[in-house]
Amino acid sequence: MSKSKDRDKDKIFDLFDLFSEAEELELEDVNIEAEELAIEFLPLVVQTMAKAAPEAAVALKRVIELKMEKFELPVMTYPGSIPEVKIGATKAEGGTRGKVIKVGGETCPPYYRFESPPKNRPIIALDVFDQPIVPLAGPVKASYKDVLDDPAEWAKKAIQVYGADLISLHLVSTDPTLKDTSVQEAAKTVERVLQAIDEPIIIGGSGNPQKDLQIFQYIGEITAGERLVFASATIDMDLEAVAKAMSKTKHNVVALAFMDINQAKELSRKLIGSGLPKDHLIIDPTTGALGYGIEYSFSVMERIRLSGLMGDESLQAPISCAATNAWAAREAWMKVDEWGPREYRGPLWEATTAIVGLLAGADMFMMMHPLAAKIVKGLAEILSKPKLDTKLEEINYSDWVKMKV
Amino acid sequence: MPKIIRPLDVYKVLPQTNCGQCGESTCMAFAAKVADRVADIRQCKPLFEDPKYKSKLQSALELIRPPVKAVTIGVPPNQVVIGNKVVMYRHELTWYNPTAIAIDVTDDVDVDSLIKRAKAVEVFAFERIGQQLRLNLLALRCTSDSPEKFAKAADTLSRNTSLPLILCSYNPDVMEEALTVVGDKRPLIYAATKDNWREMLDLASKYKCPVTISSPGNLNMLKSLASTFISAGIEDIVLDPGTYVKGDSLAETVSMFTMLRRAAIEKEDKLVGFPLMAVPAVVWMDPEGDEIEKKMKESYIASILMTRYADLMVMHSLDPWVLMPILVWRQSVYTDPRVPPSVKPGLYEIGKPTDTSPVFATGNFALTYFLVRGDIENAKVDAYLVVADSEGLSVESSVAGRRLTAEKFAEAIKSSGLDGKLKKKVLVIPGRAARLSGELEELLPGWKVIVGPRDSSNIPEFIEKVLKKELRAT
């Protein structure tokens, strides 16, 4: 490199130094003759420019072309899966039911349809009580007022008129502190209900651990082979006797834990350990009403399902959700004018309670209001579809901005 | 895996000098608060100001960056922050920043109707467990097609209400006209799409406003647009994958929302790590179905999408019965799962109790409290409910574990001030605390302690059969 060229270069750098300190550069009476002119700014100069004119900097950064990206489906694998529980048995299978219902069978979290669509859709049971004196909320009572005295007719109406998948018959009158109906008497009610409908049933006791065990044993025997569901085995019951009664007569059982995942595990281990086949267990972690503990139910259900999928065998079972508990919330039933009409508020409260359970992974719902049950059944059907009937591109979503309401 | 920060992770990126400038005595104490998200790491002045911690600062910023960015709409004091989500499942950590709910208004109505609807949204509130449940924003839809009308309506709303705005139009000219008027209030621009993104990008950049990227049903395009905006230096982004509710399309909507959140949190896909927006108001596009059906549907669609990660929702209905389930579910699901579910110990009144009303006592496990309260309400009696401190445990386990004792019940009764108020002092304790009754009666001279039912659902029957007789007896 020649010395003169070096000197020129120094001059140019001197010029750059000058530029870097200058706020503005104005060229007067200058002719630039060149075939090709390249103007290069030192980083320092660009920085100065950027400070002086932020809008120009934005313009410099402006991206003209769309950066094409691909959204990778966030698919994962799970070491565990949920057993499928069969409810009801046909004549060929040793029962008398016309319909058999399957629940459970999940291999991924609820409605992660990008991983796999649900194997079975969640099922909806409507509650039927064996005595009319149970305090029923007004909007619910109105739907059944003609059948309140007759569990068989009540069950028929729940299925035929209100579209329930099955019914949950609660033998509340067997409670020793209420009517103390004998198990033999209660068995007659069960028989009548079974004859009135073609669907399987869930048989619920009164919550008294001794009496409920008698129901499990006696009514279990009478209906042996029907593959019904008995609710509920609780921590204060003789679980070995429950497991024996259920496995001998081939029924399913709901294990009710009080919002406690460890209690759910303990129940499951004891029942399975005492001989209950794995695919005959359903876990009910208790459903708090919307606004009254539902978030604990939501989290316990999510944890049960995720732990089951991650391989915890004691939590691999379909989940039951008693959305009926929504009616414990005064927002569901109380007459308060500023809250709006109870006849919509109540069913919406129950439906929302169930929906929270649905999204947390619940498979079986016990519900009360026909409209709430209809909403949840409709959603369960939609969310469980293996393939959509509707094509998204045919729905002009963006029209919402201009819609006239 | 969800990005949960542990105190030790934070401690590692701090100067570890225990200088105390952050207000904590040690860096470890500060680290614990940062991990709990009750302190902001920016309170550590040396980390941010001393050049020798440059590399630590970088790690610190990377560490605290949530997988779903926080986006602010509006300006103080009227701003709403959405996003800043760290986990997918509520049991892992609190879901920060409750879903913000916007109600729509349109620009082709007269000024009075516009203000009237906006005011109705602003004042909407109902109190529950000591909190005011409210709506958060106004979504102004351009139905007039007129830039002037839209700008005028935006101006009217910003002058007459305090709620932040979402400006809804796909037309950049319409958008700019409104931004010239309210752009300094940081409204959310809705929306940049595959067709108008260049112009909307320029507007978001010029007016420094957050912007929604909308790509209905196409997550590849949604991610491409987000990537483009990020490379242009715009990161205050909200993602709208489309809210489909017609027929069985809801299944796809739930799936898209779930995928986006999982990609952001569990796959650390930064290009989709932004708040998600849902529009339950789309149910009103359906010409079929009556009004009640639509309101119900709008309500439960909102609950579904809030459960499945919507950080911002636009709704149309303003009926309390439609909004109540959503607002109550929002209040519940956004609570801290680590804090034991408890209520404040003390005296609670049910109905309008007088000097002849009964007194019930229970523990402060939230569920116990709500159940007992509900059961007394069901019995339709006016009563006092004294809540003793059972340390957030159920009555049975707190009594068994000696956390709830006769002393604690006595203390609660004494501090309730009921002693001098009542004509006849009858205290009902839970059946599961029966063994404390003798000791309690000794600690409470002048009181008659009776044991209530083991399950509070039997309270109505108990009142009828036992308590009324007890109160009548002299």
Side-chain angles (χ1 to χ4, degrees):
Chain A
M1 207 180 271
S2 75
K3 274 193 174 174
S4 74
K5 267 199 175 168
D6 268 357
R7 268 200 307 277
D8 286 352
K9 211 176 161 187
D10 284 347
K11 276 183 193 164
I12 292 169
F13 275 111
D14 288 348
L15 203 57
F16 277 141
D17 282 349
L18 268 175
F19 282 6
S20 73
E21 280 159 31
E23 296 244 316
E24 203 177 85
L25 182 68
E26 212 173 285
L27 300 177
E28 266 180 61
D29 294 331
V30 177
N31 280 324
I32 297 173
E33 281 175 34
E35 274 183 21
E36 205 177 304
L37 181 69
I39 298 177
E40 208 176 289
F41 293 101
L42 282 178
L44 197 64
V45 181
V46 176
Q47 268 180 27
T48 315
M49 278 174 61
K51 269 182 206 157
E55 285 186 20
V58 171
L60 278 178
K61 277 176 84 180
R62 180 163 168 177
V63 185
I64 302 301
E65 287 313 312
L66 192 61
K67 289 184 68 166
M68 293 312 291
E69 308 277 354
K70 196 171 177 325
F71 181 78
E72 303 288 341
L73 298 189
V75 173
M76 294 183 181
T77 53
Y78 310 89
S81 64
I82 311 304
E84 188 175 71
V85 172
K86 265 168 87 179
I87 304 173
T90 59
K91 224 168 199 164
E93 295 162 324
T96 61
R97 302 296 87 198
K99 289 188 181 114
V100 173
I101 299 172
K102 292 174 188 167
V103 285
E106 288 89 347
T107 54
C108 69
Y111 317 108
Y112 280 39
R113 49 182 302 118
F114 51 95
E115 291 185 326
S116 61
K119 198 168 174 191
N120 297 297
R121 98 164 146 77
I123 56 167
I124 319 294
L126 276 170
D127 284 350
V128 172
F129 296 91
D130 72 341
Q131 63 171 34
I133 58 160
V134 173
L136 277 184
V140 177
K141 212 171 195 170
S143 313
Y144 299 107
K145 58 178 182 294
D146 51 334
V147 293
L148 287 174
D149 296 318
D150 187 343
E153 286 304 312
W154 190 339
K156 226 191 233 174
K157 188 168 187 182
I159 299 273
Q160 289 168 5
V161 181
Y162 298 137
D165 292 311
L166 71 169
I167 65 126
S168 34
L169 173 64
H170 299 276
L171 302 169
V172 286
S173 77
T174 59
D175 190 333
T177 66
L178 286 176
K179 240 177 169 179
D180 202 13
T181 307
S182 70
V183 289
Q184 290 78 7
E185 200 61 34
K188 283 183 198 154
T189 307
V190 171
E191 282 296 331
R192 286 190 46 237
V193 171
L194 282 175
Q195 276 165 22
I197 59 171
D198 217 13
E199 287 71 10
I201 66 174
I202 301 165
I203 297 171
S206 66
N208 179 296
Q210 288 80 32
K211 189 70 175 276
D212 282 1
L213 178 58
Q214 290 174 31
I215 289 173
F216 282 40
Q217 289 167 329
Y218 186 82
I219 300 181
E221 196 70 54
I222 301 256
T223 57
E226 290 275 23
R227 226 182 162 104
L228 306 178
V229 181
F230 281 76
S232 304
T234 50
I235 203 76
D236 50 5
M237 275 170 98
D238 180 348
L239 294 170
E240 208 184 314
V242 171
K244 280 198 179 121
M246 294 291 100
S247 51
K248 186 179 149 209
T249 51
K250 294 197 170 57
H251 288 301
N252 305 299
V253 67
V254 172
L256 174 65
F258 297 100
M259 289 200 194
D260 180 342
I261 197 162
N262 292 318
Q263 201 180 80
K265 281 181 172 192
E266 191 185 337
L267 278 167
S268 156
R269 281 201 206 102
K270 283 185 173 161
L271 288 166
I272 307 276
S274 304
L276 182 81
K278 244 195 120 177
D279 58 352
H280 282 251
L281 175 71
I282 295 168
I283 295 176
D284 180 348
T286 309
T287 304
L290 173 59
Y292 296 80
I294 195 174
E295 67 276 28
Y296 317 129
S297 305
F298 175 68
S299 286
V300 170
M301 283 182 196
E302 275 199 329
R303 286 172 64 197
I304 288 177
R305 180 51 40 85
L306 292 172
S307 304
L309 292 172
M310 294 318 287
D312 186 335
E313 290 192 24
S314 63
L315 295 173
Q316 289 171 347
I319 296 171
S320 174
C321 169
T324 309
N325 291 340
W327 294 93
R330 58 157 113 170
E331 288 87 342
W333 55 267
M334 205 180 263
K335 194 174 177 305
V336 179
D337 288 342
E338 60 264 37
W339 288 351
R342 297 196 276 184
E343 60 264 45
Y344 312 136
R345 205 200 313 139
L348 187 56
W349 207 263
E350 188 183 359
T352 307
T353 302
I355 286 166
V356 167
L358 190 80
L359 294 170
D363 301 272
M364 182 172 93
F365 293 85
M366 292 191 215
M367 303 191 64
M368 208 134 76
H369 197 287
L371 179 53
K374 189 181 162 197
I375 289 172
V376 178
K377 189 178 172 187
L379 283 171
E381 278 168 351
I382 286 170
L383 293 176
S384 303
K385 282 211 171 171
K387 217 171 144 248
L388 299 184
D389 294 334
T390 320
K391 283 200 175 70
L392 291 185
E393 52 269 34
E394 285 165 15
I395 305 169
N396 209 346
Y397 162 74
S398 44
D399 283 356
W400 78 268
V401 169
K402 284 196 174 182
M403 72 175 169
K404 305 272 181 197
V405 227
Chain B
M1 277 305 289
K3 189 177 161 184
I4 293 179
I5 315 171
R6 290 165 309 182
L8 204 60
D9 302 331
V10 183
Y11 184 71
K12 279 183 196 151
V13 300
L14 293 177
Q16 301 173 9
T17 55
N18 301 331
C19 72
Q21 287 185 61
C22 59
E24 296 299 322
S25 54
T26 65
C27 288
M28 196 62 211
F30 179 63
K33 288 204 166 174
V34 172
D36 258 10
R37 289 172 177 263
V38 290
D40 184 350
I41 199 153
R42 283 170 190 80
Q43 289 165 255
C44 178
K45 294 241 163 61
L47 181 67
F48 280 79
E49 285 162 15
D50 194 333
K52 76 175 175 225
Y53 298 124
K54 210 176 141 191
S55 72
K56 281 200 169 196
L57 176 60
Q58 212 143 29
S59 322
L61 291 175
E62 183 57 30
L63 181 73
I64 57 158
R65 196 183 61 82
V68 174
K69 194 183 182 295
V71 172
T72 305
I73 306 167
V75 287
N78 305 317
Q79 62 180 32
V80 170
V81 182
I82 56 172
N84 194 16
K85 298 293 199 285
V86 186
V87 296
M88 285 198 79
Y89 301 105
R90 178 189 167 273
H91 58 262
E92 296 168 322
L93 187 72
T94 312
W95 283 3
Y96 299 103
N97 295 328
T99 307
I101 298 174
I103 300 289
D104 75 339
V105 291
T106 56
D107 70 342
D108 62 355
V109 292
D110 60 87
V111 176
D112 288 346
S113 324
L114 185 68
I115 295 177
K116 201 178 153 209
R117 182 157 169 91
K119 282 279 173 203
V121 177
E122 190 175 17
V123 302
F124 184 98
F126 68 98
E127 200 191 310
R128 207 168 173 284
I129 326 177
Q131 280 181 17
Q132 289 285 329
L133 307 188
R134 290 182 175 279
L135 302 166
N136 312 96
L137 310 100
L138 292 166
L140 176 64
R141 299 192 285 118
C142 179
T143 50
S144 68
D145 255 339
S146 148
E148 293 73 29
K149 263 195 167 172
F150 190 60
K152 178 95 198 308
D155 189 37
T156 305
L157 292 177
S158 83
R159 281 174 199 282
N160 290 284
T161 69
S162 61
L163 297 176
L165 297 179
I166 305 176
L167 300 175
C168 308
S169 170
Y170 301 109
N171 180 340
D173 297 332
V174 166
M175 190 59 68
E176 174 136 41
E177 194 72 23
L179 286 172
T180 56
V181 185
V182 297
D184 59 337
K185 302 266 169 60
R186 229 182 127 75
L188 174 64
I189 296 172
Y190 183 94
T193 65
K194 66 174 175 25
D195 302 316
N196 69 12
W197 65 267
R198 280 189 178 82
E199 293 85 351
M200 289 298 188
L201 191 157
D202 284 346
L203 290 176
S205 159
K206 187 172 167 191
Y207 292 93
K208 299 188 174 51
C209 289
V211 58
T212 300
I213 289 173
S214 177
S215 172
N218 185 343
L219 299 188
N220 287 331
M221 179 53 75
L222 191 70
K223 185 170 166 176
S224 302
L225 287 167
S227 176
T228 309
F229 275 56
I230 293 166
S231 61
I234 293 175
E235 298 211 13
D236 285 334
I237 296 171
V238 176
L239 300 178
D240 171 27
T243 303
Y244 294 96
V245 300
K246 199 174 162 57
D248 51 9
S249 63
L250 178 65
E252 199 50 35
T253 305
V254 169
S255 189
M256 288 191 296
F257 273 76
T258 309
M259 282 196 283
L260 285 167
R261 188 51 44 98
R262 183 188 246 192
I265 288 180
E266 293 187 330
K267 299 285 185 185
E268 294 181 48
D269 185 343
K270 291 177 188 170
L271 299 181
V272 294
F274 298 98
L276 303 178
M277 172 172 162
V279 186
V282 295
V283 302
W284 294 92
M285 278 163 66
D286 195 344
E288 279 159 44
D290 66 21
E291 201 179 301
I292 297 298
E293 255 173 74
K294 287 196 176 109
K295 285 180 176 174
M296 288 224 170
K297 190 167 177 182
E298 185 175 26
S299 179
Y300 65 72
I301 295 285
S303 290
I304 290 172
L305 294 177
M306 187 163 72
T307 314
R308 284 301 171 88
Y309 313 119
D311 300 288
L312 172 66
M313 298 198 293
V314 179
M315 300 192 60
H316 176 71
S317 303
L318 251 179
D319 309 50
W321 68 271
V322 175
L323 296 171
M324 269 169 76
I326 309 161
L327 295 177
V328 169
W329 175 223
R330 178 176 73 176
Q331 185 187 31
S332 307
V333 79
Y334 275 91
T335 50
D336 187 343
R338 296 165 302 179
V339 176
S342 57
V343 295
K344 234 172 106 181
L347 177 68
Y348 294 82
E349 295 188 350
I350 296 168
K352 291 190 172 65
T354 62
D355 56 1
T356 57
S357 298
V359 183
F360 289 84
T362 191
N364 77 327
F365 176 42
L367 214 62
T368 306
Y369 165 77
F370 287 124
L371 290 175
V372 171
R373 185 183 180 109
D375 290 325
I376 298 173
E377 277 167 355
N378 280 348
K380 299 193 172 61
V381 294
D382 299 312
Y384 295 101
L385 179 58
V386 174
V387 175
D389 184 7
S390 64
E391 299 178 28
L393 296 171
S394 71
V395 171
E396 189 158 39
S397 40
S398 60
V399 168
R402 304 283 303 153
R403 309 272 183 88
L404 183 54
T405 57
E407 283 85 3
K408 276 206 185 167
F409 268 130
E411 191 189 300
I413 291 291
K414 280 176 189 159
S415 56
S416 72
L418 285 174
D419 234 327
K421 260 191 205 166
L422 301 174
K423 280 193 180 142
K424 194 167 168 57
K425 293 186 274 187
V426 174
L427 173 66
V428 182
I429 62 167
R432 287 170 204 272
R435 66 161 100 148
L436 305 179
S437 64
E439 198 185 339
L440 190 54
E441 214 153 44
E442 278 173 31
L443 292 169
L444 290 174
W447 284 80
K448 167 135 197 181
V449 176
I450 53 176
V451 177
R454 281 178 64 79
D455 188 315
S456 70
S457 62
N458 293 323
I459 284 179
E461 197 193 338
F462 170 82
I463 290 173
E464 233 14 82
K465 288 188 180 160
V466 183
L467 193 60
K468 283 196 175 161
K469 266 183 231 156
E470 200 65 52
L471 287 168
R472 269 197 303 269
T474 44

